[in-house]
Amino acid sequence: MSFVDLINAKRAPGHLPFTRGEIAAQRAREAADFHTLPQAERDRRVMAAMEAVR
């Protein structure tokens, strides 16, 4: 099992909470127009959301 798989396995049952950056990135991905944007703009929005919570 990789390290990422281990983290995700612990996170699934609620043992490990998501970070503020992960939550912000998910909210950016849930925007109504997100999937209509070019990939570069999607990446920029996700990174901007993650930087904003630092």
Side-chain angles (χ1 to χ4, degrees), residues 8 11 16-23:
N8 288 334
R11 183 173 285 152
L16 189 63
F18 288 102
T19 65
R20 292 183 305 158
E22 290 170 325
I23 293 169

Side-chain angles (χ1 to χ4, degrees), residues 2 7 12 29:
S2 73
I7 290 173
R29 289 184 198 103

Side-chain angles (χ1 to χ4, degrees), residues 31 36 54:
T36 62
R54 279 187 163 193

Side-chain angles (χ1 to χ4, degrees), residues 2-3 10 12-13 17-19 21 26-28 31 34-37 39 41-42 46 51 53:
S2 73
F3 184 67
K10 288 187 176 210
F18 288 102
T19 65
Q26 184 59 36
R27 287 187 185 138
F34 186 78
H35 296 288
T36 62
L37 299 171
Q39 186 63 47
E41 180 63 18
R42 290 183 205 180
V46 169
E51 288 292 324
V53 297

